[in-house]
Amino acid sequence: MEKISLYQILYQKLRESIIKGEYNEGDLLPSENELCSQYQVTRPTVRQALSQLVNEGYVRKQQGKGSIVQQLNKGLKLLSIEGTTAAFEGEKFYSKILVQPSIVDWPQDFFYAINTQAESTNCIMLERLRTIESRNVIYEKTYITNKQMPRFTQKNLEDKSLFETLKKYYQIQITGGEQKIRAINADKHVAKLLQVLIGKSLLMLQRKMYTNRKDFFVYSLVYCDTEHYYIQDLF
Amino acid sequence: MEKISLYQILYQKLRESIIKGEYNEGDLLPSENELCSQYQVTRPTVRQALSQLVNEGYVRKQQGKGSIVQQLNKGLKLLSIEGTTAAFEGEKFYSKILVQPSIVDWPQDFFYAINTQAESTNCIMLERLRTIESRNVIYEKTYITNKQMPRFTQKNLEDKSLFETLKKYYQIQITGGEQKIRAINADKHVAKLLQVLIGKSLLMLQRKMYTNRKDFFVYSLVYCDTEHYYIQDLF
DNA sequence: ATTTTTAACTTGTAAATACAAGTTATTTTA
DNA sequence: TAAAATAACTTGTATTTACAAGTTAAAAAT
């Protein structure tokens, strides 16, 4: 079992409390001193946990007053270290596998530069469609470095988090990442999948996720129809 | 003169070093112990400064190895606490005032809910166009709470940062914020300003910036042509 | 010359302590 | 009763100390 630090335990508990709705927007979390008592830790440890909640936009702090819970889940949280499955927390959504994971060559003119010697000469590719309330909202193509990934192509990812699967079966953890964000006009293919008119404006994210494995990345190309679900960013 | 803490001084110096190009991508910053010696501060103070650089994507850390400089300025940094002027750092850009700051009523159906009693019954509005290398890239409409803002409408903001002006003359500091991100098809008005075809896909950001003043916000509606300059996000 | 072991670095986690500065509640004064 | 002053809370900043865990360099062994 992977070792988890005290501040990470506290961070997760507080985050879950917020996500579950135990606080309303504007409410104060317990004070730093109260959290020290409740969890038998010291103030720097509490502050480390709170700092992460602040960085992720769950909370903001006001000197002399407290840690104020910010609004949640009014938009999709795609702009974070979490995968698209986590971005839908609190929403009724479905994830459909359009193309099962299969081994392919890296596409030509890939949206990130690939070091095929260090990474792999080919990759595992899969395509998914995310649906909220009968609306196809996100179309996502994922490319994974094909290194030490036995039997991955047999994994069933329907309605499951790719990141959690990588972690559970392969001990691969996402540690950070980068993305390029653009607006594009839907071509025939993407328009059909997202059930919008050709030329409709879509958000396109080109994501590169770093992992705890050396030279091992997860790349995603995400098309998002933002008509009914905008992307939310807190900072 | 406003008091600035030790970790903030260190953070700014390191950040400037990175932005100026004193490091290449992949380079290591001086170690935490080295920074302690150089700046005569203790390790928690150094770590606080580094933590902010990590949060903003300038640096990532690897246990046992060091603080690794990440790539910079390959995209516009609009997804952060900084204003759009800061997003252009390292680029040759111009900021043109299309509509001088003037006092107007809050628009109907404003993209954020306004509490006119707590905020103000009207606001200061201005419109700017940002240009990189002869390309109109960003069109921005800004709405500022009209409270204790004497002579703001006479300020010259051409090629200047709004946030820095607010800070210098009104002691107003941006402390955080939120934004909704959508892709929209350009209408006639915006298409003309950004010099693109009607229907072209644009990024639209609806931003609400929090400040150190109670019930005082800065709202922006940002249209961005991402054809040549994508938005970059590190996380 | 190569491999293994050890040393010396690095960041990560955590506690203890102290004071500054902001907000709110309570007490005192007019 | 209202205003001012004070107390008690809050977060912000900073130091000191210690050990865990990862990476790299140097030394020792083969």
Side-chain angles (χ1 to χ4, degrees):
Chain A
M1 177 69 81
E2 193 176 318
K3 191 167 188 291
I4 185 168
S5 58
L6 289 175
Y7 86 84
Q8 284 175 331
I9 292 170
L10 178 56
Y11 155 79
Q12 283 177 359
K13 283 180 188 284
L14 293 173
R15 178 176 178 274
E16 276 163 29
S17 295
I18 295 168
I19 287 175
K20 277 178 190 166
E22 287 175 30
Y23 299 96
N24 293 319
E25 182 179 357
D27 285 358
L28 300 181
L29 290 182
S31 70
E32 291 175 9
N33 283 342
E34 282 172 326
L35 293 171
C36 288
S37 298
Q38 283 180 311
Y39 292 91
Q40 296 302 306
V41 292
T42 58
R43 209 173 145 227
T45 303
V46 166
R47 287 176 61 79
Q48 175 89 18
L50 290 175
S51 175
Q52 266 193 280
L53 291 169
V54 168
N55 291 337
E56 290 173 15
Y58 291 104
V59 149
R60 64 187 174 82
K61 286 179 159 200
Q62 189 174 332
Q63 182 175 357
K65 185 182 180 97
S67 303
I68 306 160
V69 175
Q70 297 211 106
Q71 69 168 317
L72 297 175
N73 286 339
K74 285 180 180 155
L76 303 181
K77 288 185 184 308
L78 283 175
L79 306 182
S80 78
I81 199 172
E82 295 159 330
T84 44
T85 306
F88 285 78
E89 271 194 85
E91 305 281 351
K92 219 166 259 168
F93 87 100
Y94 304 95
S95 183
K96 178 181 174 185
I97 306 292
L98 297 180
V99 175
Q100 286 288 349
S102 57
I103 296 169
V104 301
D105 289 335
W106 292 103
Q108 304 240 349
D109 300 319
F110 195 61
F111 52 87
Y112 276 102
I114 302 296
N115 181 345
T116 52
Q117 279 169 350
E119 292 178 54
S120 56
T121 54
N122 55 23
C123 63
I124 300 164
M125 194 274 284
L126 66 146
E127 296 184 21
R128 287 171 291 176
L129 194 64
R130 324 299 198 135
T131 306
I132 304 180
E133 296 177 359
S134 303
R135 284 197 178 96
N136 295 340
V137 171
I138 289 183
Y139 167 49
E140 178 172 6
K141 290 161 112 176
T142 300
Y143 304 84
I144 307 170
T145 304
N146 186 24
K147 205 156 73 172
Q148 293 161 6
M149 297 290 288
R151 285 180 297 285
F152 184 83
T153 51
Q154 277 86 55
K155 294 296 179 193
N156 176 24
L157 296 170
E158 202 97 341
D159 291 328
K160 278 176 187 157
S161 164
L162 168 66
F163 286 7
E164 285 176 15
T165 300
L166 289 173
K167 184 170 179 176
K168 185 175 179 182
Y169 296 102
Y170 301 92
Q171 287 73 55
I172 294 168
Q173 187 141 358
I174 306 297
T175 58
E178 63 186 83
Q179 60 194 337
K180 305 170 185 170
I181 302 160
R182 279 191 157 102
I184 56 112
N185 293 93
D187 65 17
K188 187 175 176 179
H189 175 63
V190 177
K192 183 174 177 179
L193 286 169
L194 292 178
Q195 287 167 350
V196 298
L197 295 177
I198 290 172
K200 172 71 179 294
S201 187
L202 302 177
L203 208 63
M204 181 179 76
L205 310 179
Q206 296 166 318
R207 303 183 107 217
K208 175 178 182 179
M209 267 75 60
Y210 312 134
T211 71
N212 54 345
R213 265 197 203 174
K214 186 175 162 63
D215 293 314
F216 190 107
F217 306 97
V218 178
Y219 302 88
S220 275
L221 188 56
V222 181
Y223 297 92
C224 186
D225 178 11
T226 57
E227 177 94 42
H228 301 98
Y229 299 95
Y230 57 84
I231 305 306
Q232 180 185 32
D233 184 31
L234 299 168
F235 51 86
Chain B
M1 176 72 81
E2 193 177 319
K3 191 167 188 291
I4 185 168
S5 56
L6 289 175
Y7 87 84
Q8 284 175 330
I9 292 171
L10 178 55
Y11 155 79
Q12 282 176 0
K13 282 178 187 284
L14 293 174
R15 179 177 177 273
E16 276 163 29
S17 295
I18 295 167
I19 287 176
K20 276 176 191 166
E22 289 175 28
Y23 300 96
N24 294 319
E25 181 178 356
D27 284 357
L28 300 182
L29 290 180
S31 72
E32 291 175 7
N33 284 341
E34 282 171 328
L35 292 171
C36 288
S37 298
Q38 282 179 313
Y39 293 91
Q40 297 302 307
V41 291
T42 58
R43 210 175 142 225
T45 303
V46 166
R47 287 176 64 77
Q48 173 93 16
L50 290 175
S51 176
Q52 265 194 282
L53 291 170
V54 168
N55 291 338
E56 291 172 16
Y58 290 104
V59 150
R60 63 186 175 82
K61 286 177 158 205
Q62 190 175 330
Q63 182 175 356
K65 187 182 176 94
S67 303
I68 307 159
V69 175
Q70 298 211 106
Q71 68 168 321
L72 297 176
N73 285 340
K74 287 184 181 152
L76 303 181
K77 290 186 184 308
L78 283 176
L79 306 183
S80 78
I81 198 172
E82 294 160 330
T84 43
T85 306
F88 284 77
E89 273 192 86
E91 305 280 353
K92 218 166 258 166
F93 86 101
Y94 304 95
S95 183
K96 179 180 173 184
I97 306 292
L98 297 180
V99 175
Q100 287 288 349
S102 57
I103 297 171
V104 301
D105 289 336
W106 291 103
Q108 303 240 348
D109 298 318
F110 195 62
F111 52 88
Y112 275 103
I114 301 296
N115 181 344
T116 53
Q117 278 167 352
E119 291 177 56
S120 56
T121 53
N122 54 24
C123 62
I124 298 164
M125 195 274 284
L126 66 146
E127 295 184 21
R128 287 172 291 176
L129 193 65
R130 320 307 194 127
T131 305
I132 305 180
E133 294 176 1
S134 304
R135 284 197 180 97
N136 295 340
V137 172
I138 290 183
Y139 166 51
E140 178 172 7
K141 288 161 114 174
T142 300
Y143 305 83
I144 307 170
T145 304
N146 185 22
K147 205 156 74 172
Q148 293 160 7
M149 297 291 286
R151 286 181 296 284
F152 184 84
T153 51
Q154 277 87 54
K155 294 297 179 193
N156 174 25
L157 296 169
E158 203 96 343
D159 291 329
K160 280 177 185 153
S161 165
L162 169 65
F163 287 7
E164 284 176 15
T165 301
L166 289 173
K167 186 171 178 175
K168 184 174 179 182
Y169 297 100
Y170 302 91
Q171 288 72 55
I172 293 167
Q173 187 142 0
I174 306 298
T175 57
E178 62 186 83
Q179 58 195 339
K180 305 170 186 170
I181 301 159
R182 276 188 159 106
I184 56 110
N185 293 93
D187 65 17
K188 186 173 175 180
H189 174 63
V190 178
K192 182 174 176 178
L193 287 169
L194 292 177
Q195 288 167 348
V196 299
L197 296 176
I198 291 173
K200 172 70 180 295
S201 188
L202 302 176
L203 208 65
M204 182 179 75
L205 311 179
Q206 294 165 320
R207 304 184 104 215
K208 175 177 181 179
M209 266 76 58
Y210 312 134
T211 70
N212 54 344
R213 264 199 204 174
K214 186 175 163 62
D215 293 314
F216 190 107
F217 306 97
V218 178
Y219 302 90
S220 276
L221 188 55
V222 181
Y223 298 92
C224 185
D225 177 11
T226 56
E227 176 94 43
H228 301 100
Y229 300 93
Y230 57 84
I231 305 305
Q232 181 185 32
D233 183 31
L234 299 166
F235 50 86

